[in-house]
Amino acid sequence: MGNITVTINGTEISVPDPMTILEAATQNNIDIPTLCHQPDLTPNGVCRICVVEVEGARTLVAACHTPLTDGMVIHTRSPKVLSVRKTIVELLLTAHTGTCVNDVNAANCALHKLASDLEVGEPRFHVQKPRFYAPEESNPYVTRDLSKCILCFKCVKACDEIAGKGVLSVGYRGFESKIITGCDDALTHDICKDCIVCADACPTGALSRPDLLDKKQKGAV
Amino acid sequence: MPEKQIVSMNCGKIDPDNIDTHIDQGGFKALQKSLEKMTPEDIINEIKTSELKGRGGAGFLCGTKWELARKAGENQKYLICNADESEVGTFKDRHLLAKDPFTLIEGIAITAYAIGAQTAFIYLRAEYHFLLDLLTNAIEQAKEKGFLKHLAVQIREGAGAYICGEESALMNSIEGRRGESRYKPPFPTEKGLFDKPTIINNVETLMNVPQIILNGGEWFKTIGTGNSRGTKVFSISGDVEKPGVYELEMGSPVKELVVTLAGAKNIKAVQVGGASGSIIPFDQLDTPLSFETLLGSGGVIVFNNERDITDMVHQSMIFLSEESCGKCTPCREGTEVMIEIFRRLEIGEGVPEDMENLEALSEAMMLSSLCGLGQAAPIPVLDSLKYFRSEYEDRIEKSQILRRLPRSIA
Amino acid sequence: MERASQDISLSDKKREDLLMLLKSAQAEYRHIPRAFIVDTAKALGLPENQVFGVASFYAFLSVEPLGKHVIRICQNLPCYLKNSRMIIDSVKKKIGIIPGETTPDGRFSLELVSCIGACDVAPAMLVNHDVHGNLTPQRISEILNTYD
């Protein structure tokens, strides 16, 4: 459990072992963007936004779940890293059909913020059937609009690990994957009560708190 | 280099329903030698000497992997035989299981003893349910003969998912979960099935073990090439006269398999390694089949001169998208976007940016996907852009002509 | 079917038995009924959504009812190169449904699936667990007639 020495963006740093690349970067004020990660949850490793270049590695590696090893040389903003990150953001925007443009919540959307940070314009790509789901407002505590979901699975982790309720999980597979409750049932008050940790974890407003939404909308008028 | 049978040496010579016919051919002598005359470390050293690499596609050195599991400080360890052969155009494991289940069981018994596993699972794909009785019967007969006193061998059936051939997804499936890939580290040798040290090897890999134990690692090393020892069992299909299973010495040229053995004519291209395998054009048929060059799972598909390569790659991408587990962004979204590009190219709606967009997508998928499925998915796309670029250009040009036509004609 | 789990024992089962249980249900009821998911989740101490998540992941499991016989035609390259499209058309014509559907009499369901490992006898299909290879449009009727 001693210390190890790694190099991030040319600067040598000494960090305790074990530690992930992301933890070390954060500790040293080096910004690595994330979408599916939250420090109080175990890593999901699914969005792949946090990929970084490690010298000698065959592929880029995700900073959120990759442990540091002694002597590791890491580049968090190499041209390759930035190019791949940009493509991933575009991919997430491509199949995403939320009404974000007109939405007062869009300012809070981590995906939109990231797209602007990485200077991603109109996505270069298209899919035949973008995801579209009708918004659900039947639950007084959480509003669900799965068209905005980017399948980061953070809500599933938050519901499991923080709330300890296991109300959410993943159904189907591949491009059809979907965050589900019950047997792919509506998110009613019977299924989910009022802890709202999922809405707080959601980066895009696919899950949101109607109380906050109301206030903002009122403020916007 | 001619055909050479090590793994499939008993196929067709024994009755897969009767263990005695296998014993008559010298079966289970390697297991007896292992249990009576060798320590687990001796076996691992022999396998290390042989430089045997995994035959499932990734090609990791078996001895090194086994040693890690052997040394892992846990009492409970597992061995998994990966019989989830699902790679497009690959059916050699089906052939081996159907013709000679006993050599596999012997390989499993030796490997489990070497790594210290008391339980071994055979993960059989759902599509091969018709092999379940034969395999169960073979295990029972081996048990009755007293060959499995140190080991419980259980069969677990899949339920239709290519991704479960990926080792972490396979373990999730045995645990009763969705067949999603896990990120690494931790590696299975430290934290695998039920969080215990686990070795996962393909059917063909394990079937190499008995002959290495009998003849020695040095003998095995004399076969094949510098980085690819031994033989490889290939499945060949597509535009050939004689599709089937052939075992060749590593390093044999593609031509020997495709032309000499399978009788292909008018070859345009060959895809080696299934849907995400490399595509090579006709003028590269002298390329040797080995880990250093081309290999994958050993599934070889031949395309003749009438085939349109963009159509072939489109078909591969449909498969990969269908089989993506959906967990990570680049694979889940990238395969779907690629299908959309190939669909437009096919119906005459291509645009000049399509080629560079395919390249950008390929880069992101290869470099950032969570597991091998997404990382390898762009290989045929990039190969086809390299060797058959004019086919893309033709389709894009035709699309532009179509767009300029008045609507009533188009 | 009120109590789905009557025919399949759920006692002393663990999470690792889930896939096997779901496969038994698929064989017994031709799909994974909601009641079975509810009972299984209770027996294994899992949320229903996790059982549904597994049931909806695998291609050989279905949360929608399927026919008595499931026809699975391989749609990948080796079969595609041997005219699997023609075979798909003949099956469609013969039983009057498109992939993803079940005949009104509940006799057949038709699915297009990933490589079934029968590429040496392409084009090929599975009917239930039986492999049929070297298919021709002429042989389709003959084969399907053996499944009543």
Side-chain angles (χ1 to χ4, degrees), chain B residues 56 221 312:
Chain B
K221 255 175 82 173
M312 301 298 102

Side-chain angles (χ1 to χ4, degrees), chain A:
Chain A
M1 294 289 153
N3 270 30
I4 51 172
T5 307
V6 300
T7 307
I8 305 184
N9 299 344
T11 310
E12 212 175 85
I13 53 172
S14 175
V15 292
D17 182 36
M19 188 177 246
T20 64
I21 297 176
L22 182 64
E23 284 164 347
T26 309
Q27 222 176 59
N28 288 276
N29 297 318
I30 296 163
D31 183 48
I32 297 175
T34 60
L35 281 174
C36 72
H37 188 74
Q38 190 168 305
D40 56 347
L41 299 175
T42 55
N44 263 320
V46 301
C47 79
R48 314 307 285 174
I49 284 293
C50 70
V51 286
V52 296
E53 197 171 340
V54 171
E55 287 185 12
R58 192 174 46 90
T59 61
L60 301 179
V61 303
C64 69
H65 65 73
T66 304
L68 291 166
T69 53
D70 196 31
M72 212 180 224
V73 181
I74 300 152
H75 304 279
T76 71
R77 295 186 57 84
S78 69
K80 206 195 263 180
V81 167
L82 293 180
S83 157
V84 168
R85 266 188 210 150
K86 208 170 147 180
T87 305
I88 296 173
V89 170
E90 280 179 273
L91 282 171
L92 285 171
L93 288 170
T94 300
H96 181 80
T97 56
T99 52
C100 313
V101 184
N102 312 316
D103 193 330
V104 287
N105 264 351
N108 298 333
C109 174
L111 179 60
H112 276 251
K113 187 178 174 301
L114 196 55
S116 129
D117 290 351
L118 291 170
E119 298 177 344
V120 175
E122 184 72 17
R124 288 168 285 178
F125 317 123
H126 302 277
V127 287
Q128 217 178 335
K129 286 187 199 138
R131 297 188 185 86
F132 181 77
Y133 303 97
E136 294 169 54
E137 289 166 355
S138 62
N139 187 308
Y141 305 103
V142 186
T143 301
R144 182 161 78 159
D145 186 354
L146 285 177
S147 300
K148 293 181 186 168
C149 175
I150 54 166
L151 293 162
C152 73
F153 305 176
K154 246 167 96 178
C155 55
V156 177
K157 283 258 153 127
C159 190
D160 264 0
E161 295 177 11
I162 299 175
K165 298 204 170 130
V167 168
L168 301 164
S169 77
V170 189
Y172 311 98
R173 84 169 179 213
F175 190 74
E176 315 287 325
S177 299
K178 182 185 175 191
I179 304 298
I180 57 163
T181 47
C183 296
D184 194 9
D185 302 321
L187 182 63
T188 61
H189 194 195
D190 294 337
I191 289 186
C192 173
K193 305 291 189 227
D194 57 354
C195 82
I196 50 180
V197 295
C198 57
D200 291 341
C202 181
T204 65
L207 294 168
S208 57
R209 297 168 57 171
D211 54 331
L212 296 185
L213 196 65
D214 280 351
K215 266 179 221 157
K216 268 186 210 141
Q217 270 167 346
K218 274 172 205 153
V221 170

Side-chain angles (χ1 to χ4, degrees), chain B residues 40-109:
Chain B
E41 287 74 19
D42 291 340
I43 296 172
I44 290 172
N45 283 333
E46 205 62 63
I47 298 297
K48 279 174 90 172
T49 304
S50 76
E51 296 174 11
L52 173 70
K53 288 180 177 173
R55 266 39 175 171
F60 201 80
L61 280 166
C62 295
T64 311
K65 196 157 96 170
W66 293 8
E67 191 168 46
L68 287 171
R70 172 86 212 163
K71 288 184 175 162
E74 284 265 4
N75 287 327
Q76 184 73 51
K77 290 170 195 169
Y78 294 103
L79 171 65
I80 300 174
C81 165
N82 187 345
D84 191 55
E85 175 173 66
S86 316
E87 191 58 79
V88 173
T90 310
F91 45 93
K92 46 111 188 162
D93 291 343
R94 182 205 79 202
H95 175 87
L96 295 170
L97 290 167
K99 301 282 180 188
D100 181 14
F102 301 112
T103 298
L104 174 66
I105 293 168
E106 186 176 6
I108 289 174

Side-chain angles (χ1 to χ4, degrees), chain B residues 86-91 94 123 125-130 156-161 163-164 169 172-180 194 236-240 243-244 271 301-303 307 311-312 315-316 318-319 322-323 325 346, chain C residues 14-20 22-23 44 46 49-62 72 74-85 112-122 126 128-131 134:
Chain B
S86 316
E87 191 58 79
V88 173
T90 310
F91 45 93
R94 182 205 79 202
Y123 186 84
R125 68 184 303 215
E127 290 81 349
Y128 292 173
H129 180 79
F130 60 91
R156 287 285 183 276
E157 276 194 280
I163 186 66
C164 291
N172 275 339
S173 187
I174 293 184
E175 290 178 8
R177 300 172 196 280
R178 294 161 57 78
E180 291 172 346
F194 306 118
I236 183 161
S237 64
D239 295 321
V240 295
Q271 187 168 17
I301 309 171
V302 179
F303 309 131
R307 307 299 180 184
D311 185 24
M312 301 298 102
Q315 297 304 319
S316 289
I318 290 173
F319 167 82
E322 179 74 32
E323 298 299 333
C325 80
E346 188 176 316
Chain C
K14 295 190 289 257
R15 167 112 210 193
E16 61 193 88
D17 300 313
L18 180 56
L19 207 53
M20 186 267 295
L22 293 173
K23 286 178 69 117
L44 301 183
L46 293 172
N49 57 39
Q50 292 216 19
V51 179
F52 184 90
V54 173
S56 61
F57 183 88
Y58 293 94
F60 278 50
L61 302 176
S62 172
R72 295 185 166 96
C74 172
Q75 61 170 345
N76 296 137
L77 266 176
C79 286
Y80 179 83
L81 295 172
K82 300 285 176 192
N83 272 325
S84 58
R85 284 187 171 179
L112 300 186
V113 297
S114 294
C115 185
I116 59 171
C119 327
D120 47 345
V121 291
L126 284 170
N128 306 329
H129 291 300
D130 312 329
V131 182
N134 295 318

